[in-house]
Each structure stands twice: as structure tokens, then as C-alpha cells.
Amino acid sequence: MAQDPQHHPLLLQAFPRGLSRLEPLPHFRTAAAPLGAGDGGGSAVRPRRADAAGAGGQGAMTMAEAPLPAWVRVVIVNYNGGDLLGAVVDGLARQTMADFDAVIVDNGSGDGSVERLSLPDRRFRIIHAGGNLGFAAGCNRGAAGAASPWLAMLNPDAVPAPNWLERLRAATGRHPEAACFGSTQLMADDPSRLDGAGDNYSIFGIAWRGGYGAPATLVTGDIAVFSPCAAAALYRRDVFMAAGGF
């Protein structure tokens, strides 16, 4: 299904209150890719051996440094996001947890939103899909090739609070059994109201956003939900890939 333009900008509260405690299926119970030493910072490096031919044909061993993969890749799928896309990218650039890279997948926008975009630093890059892949396929395209242990999906109208990623990372430590996490979403024109706190599903096949329009004070801590809303969600990469993505 083609992606529709976004019309309802959101503000994301930093605390991931819409927590999904979905237990991974048994064959998904593999550990996330280890980060090794220096997990806490984006500047950590790991040694890599390189062989260089020395005098007389002897191989001289040298050490080269290669950066560790980021803790999380953030994927933004854009289609005619307008100026809101720039606000979302700026919000990511101001994150207190800097150990991430970000991929903006543009689904053939015609509003100039990508052309006007100024990427803050080398952590950010743009993929031109060449057409409207839709949201799900766009997310899969952005996640492809990621080496980070976590993947985050963020809508082009969902402006993250400065400590959004920091709080999500803290939640993974509190709930190591969970494979995905959501965020409390607040209405931009009235941050005292919820745009959503996780998705719900009934036995009759009806899905809806939990807490839509309710006071933001309704949720006061981590809660279990049927699933996180992919407008601002975190997924363990190995589980996401094993499931074939979206």
C-alpha cells in the first residue's frame, strides 16, 4: 500500500511509556549482536588486523581501527513530509544519546522536502527509493544492511524529545526479555493529550491506538501493550530480521 502524506504532527515524550513486553518466539531467542568493549560511547573502536608486505616479502602486522556499529539505526520513511521532516531530523541531532545512525528513505516525494533537508553530520544519510514503496517496504529498505543491535522507526512528523533514545535504551536494560518498545506520543497542538500509547487489538479484528485523545497523565510508567506504534518504536534487529521485517 502506498504511503500517504502525514497530516498530524506528533511530539514524542522521552519516557517510553508505551512499552511492549512481547515475548520473542523460541526460535527468536538469540542474543543481540554484542557490542564488545566501549558499549557506552559512539567513539569506541575495535582493533582490526591488517597485513602489509614488508621488506624481503615478510608480512608486517599492523593495527587499524574500525568504528563499532552504532547502538541503534533510526529509519525515517518520508513522503511529502514538508518542513516537519527537517524538525524531526533536528530533533535527532539534539539527542542526548549520540550512539546512532539515521537513514531517511524518501518514497519519491514531490514537495522538495528532501531537497531542502540539511543533514546535521555523517551519521545521517538519504536513500532515494525511486518511487512510493509504502511505509512497510520503506522501513525494510532503511533497515537493510544495519549492523546495530537495535532498529528504531520514526515517522517524519514525530518530533523526538531530546532524551528519547536515551530513555528507550534505559528501558531495554529494565526489560531485557522484550524485543520491541514503543513511545508515548503526544499531540503537537495539545501536548497534554495522548496521540497514542501503544496499539490495541480486539478479538473481532479491530486495531486502534491506545489512549488516543486521553490525558497524557493517564500513563505514569512502563506498561504492556499489544504492540508498539511504528511511528516511534524500537525493535531488536535480530528479531526484526528473522521475522522478515514488516
Side-chain angles (χ1 to χ4, degrees):
M1 181 173 64
Q3 183 188 5
D4 291 328
Q6 305 293 332
H7 296 295
H8 304 288
L10 313 176
L11 292 174
L12 301 185
Q13 187 162 323
F15 197 74
R17 292 177 175 172
L19 170 67
S20 176
R21 295 183 183 173
L22 299 179
E23 187 71 17
L25 295 176
H27 62 287
F28 287 163
R29 284 184 172 276
T30 55
L35 287 178
D39 180 9
S43 61
V45 295
R46 62 183 176 191
R48 181 179 62 187
R49 190 175 73 182
D51 295 328
Q58 298 296 320
M61 184 179 297
T62 62
M63 300 299 292
E65 292 182 339
L68 285 169
W71 182 79
V72 61
R73 169 173 291 183
V74 181
V75 178
I76 301 170
V77 179
N78 178 63
Y79 180 71
N80 293 339
D83 293 335
L84 287 171
L85 176 62
V88 172
V89 169
D90 289 345
L92 277 179
R94 292 193 295 268
Q95 290 296 296
T96 55
M97 202 286 288
D99 193 8
F100 70 89
D101 64 54
V103 174
I104 299 101
V105 179
D106 186 63
N107 271 346
S109 297
D111 66 342
S113 53
V114 169
E115 289 76 11
R116 293 193 302 271
L117 191 62
S118 178
L119 299 183
D121 54 60
R122 64 181 182 179
R123 293 174 299 173
F124 296 78
R125 64 188 177 97
I126 297 171
I127 293 177
H128 295 277
N132 196 342
L133 302 180
F135 177 75
C139 287
N140 294 344
R141 178 75 176 272
S148 57
W150 292 90
L151 297 169
M153 306 303 171
L154 186 63
N155 269 14
D157 63 347
V159 181
N163 56 355
W164 175 60
L165 288 176
E166 179 183 350
R167 290 298 186 90
L168 281 173
R169 188 170 190 170
T172 65
R174 291 194 302 273
H175 303 280
E177 78 285 358
C180 48
F181 297 81
S183 306
T184 300
Q185 297 167 198
L186 307 178
M187 295 184 178
D189 56 354
D190 184 4
S192 69
R193 315 295 294 184
L194 289 172
D195 185 84
D199 291 339
N200 297 327
Y201 185 78
S202 79
I203 60 174
F204 302 106
I206 301 173
W208 70 96
R209 282 182 292 178
Y212 178 75
T217 54
L218 181 68
V219 184
T220 58
D222 293 357
I223 60 172
V225 297
F226 175 79
S227 69
C229 174
L234 182 72
Y235 304 90
R236 217 174 72 197
R237 179 181 58 85
D238 61 336
V239 174
F240 184 87
M241 295 302 187
F246 284 151

